[in-house]
Amino acid sequence: MLEAKHISKTFGDRQVLVDVNLQVKQGDVVVILGPSGSGKTTFLRCLNHLEKADGGQLTISGKDYSLDKLSKKDILDIRKKTAFVFQHYNLFANKTAIENILEGLVIARKVPKSEAQQIAEEALKKVGLLDFKDYYPSQLSGGQQQRIGLARAIAVKPEVILLDEPTSALDPELVGDVLDVMKQLANEGTTMVVVTHEMGFARDVANHVVFMDGGHVIEEGSPKDIFYRPKEKRTQQFLARILSDASYDLEYMI
């Protein structure tokens, strides 16, 4: 469904992505883990051309793109097949919850207004916020705003949803509602690539986990392999530092 090959990206004299590869099949929930500055968010943004990659290939739904040579039509084509959920919501402050969803349907995808209204209401219902459709972002909690962001992504029926740290800007008590929606989407077979620090979600919901550091993919595999049988020393160090769950058997780190 989606395959990224040899993605590279440099900011100034610092190379933040070095020959990064990823394969995503339909229905996959792929979680990308790594310390701050590892390149995981930059990689995700390159897939949607929110950052322009210096090199690499993207194949999505059988069509190939050179990420350093995308035309405006190519960018539009990629963005019609993907949806991006941002860390800081990125909602229009002057538009209500439902208007934020309608914008992408009516303006970007030319869906008729009456049809778009129905789609938007269904998406809001799915994230449990239909009763808040006429609220502005300033009237909503951070968790509610992020669920609006998820509804906006769902509404356009993308082939893959890209989620960049969707819970990291939230107060701890608000994280659960957002994760519940993401788990529901996973159970429905929604294809997702998620950059996150939520280890429980990665371990329990993902079917493929990628660990990045220094702009490289250090290790990837099933959650069971990465969390309980990590092969690379750097992966072991990261997990030992970040995990405090008593159920994590540290004998696998030896």
Side-chain angles (χ1 to χ4, degrees):
M1 162 171 248
L2 182 150
E3 187 171 11
K5 296 180 181 177
H6 312 302
I7 309 299
S8 62
K9 176 67 181 177
T10 301
F11 290 118
D13 59 357
R14 178 170 170 255
Q15 190 163 5
V16 294
L17 296 176
V18 186
D19 195 30
V20 178
N21 301 278
L22 180 69
Q23 190 170 50
V24 182
K25 298 175 183 176
Q26 186 169 357
D28 276 354
V29 178
V30 177
V31 165
I32 304 177
L33 304 176
S36 296
S38 61
K40 54 193 188 295
T41 288
T42 300
F43 174 64
L44 200 71
R45 291 173 66 86
C46 284
L47 297 181
N48 195 247
H49 200 71
L50 293 169
E51 295 285 356
K52 181 182 178 182
D54 296 331
Q57 303 289 319
L58 176 68
T59 302
I60 183 166
S61 299
K63 187 169 181 181
D64 299 326
Y65 304 90
S66 294
L67 290 182
D68 58 335
K69 299 173 183 176
L70 293 175
S71 66
K72 288 183 179 179
K73 183 180 180 302
D74 290 336
I75 295 168
L76 244 117
D77 196 29
I78 291 170
R79 289 180 178 170
K80 281 182 178 178
K81 295 173 181 175
T82 61
F84 203 98
V85 177
F86 296 87
Q87 179 178 346
H88 293 288
Y89 328 134
N90 276 36
L91 300 179
F92 296 107
N94 63 335
K95 295 185 182 296
T96 63
I98 197 163
E99 286 171 346
N100 266 280
I101 299 169
L102 289 171
E103 186 83 8
L105 292 167
V106 176
I107 305 300
R109 308 214 176 195
K110 311 301 181 188
V111 177
K113 185 72 181 284
S114 59
E115 183 183 345
Q117 183 80 19
Q118 183 179 348
I119 293 169
E121 289 184 0
E122 287 173 358
L124 283 170
K125 185 177 181 180
K126 180 167 281 192
V127 301
L129 290 175
L130 183 57
D131 291 343
F132 294 82
K133 68 178 183 178
D134 295 321
Y135 283 52
Y136 288 90
S138 61
Q139 299 172 301
L140 300 169
S141 71
Q144 289 170 327
Q145 290 184 64
Q146 191 59 291
R147 282 190 280 158
I148 298 299
L150 285 166
R152 182 172 57 183
I154 295 163
V156 297
K157 296 179 173 61
E159 297 180 28
V160 57
I161 300 179
L162 309 172
L163 301 100
D164 180 24
E165 307 256 18
T167 60
S168 65
L170 302 178
D171 291 336
E173 63 183 13
L174 302 176
V175 168
D177 289 341
V178 173
L179 289 178
D180 285 345
V181 174
M182 291 168 60
K183 289 173 185 175
Q184 177 188 344
L185 293 175
N187 290 336
E188 293 172 356
T190 304
T191 307
M192 294 186 281
V193 181
V194 188
V195 168
T196 186
H197 289 293
E198 296 292 340
M199 296 295 117
F201 179 86
R203 187 171 48 191
D204 300 335
V205 181
N207 67 304
H208 193 76
V209 177
V210 177
F211 173 65
M212 291 184 65
D213 193 27
H216 298 265
V217 172
I218 304 298
E219 188 169 357
E220 61 181 306
S222 70
K224 189 173 182 180
D225 287 339
I226 297 300
F227 282 97
Y228 296 103
R229 292 190 292 270
K231 295 176 182 177
E232 300 296 328
K233 187 69 175 178
R234 183 67 188 95
T235 313
Q236 295 168 8
Q237 291 169 344
F238 174 80
L239 291 171
R241 188 177 70 250
I242 207 140
L243 286 172
S244 57
D245 186 343
S247 68
Y248 184 77
D249 193 345
L250 290 178
E251 75 178 69
Y252 289 107
M253 306 292 287
I254 301 171

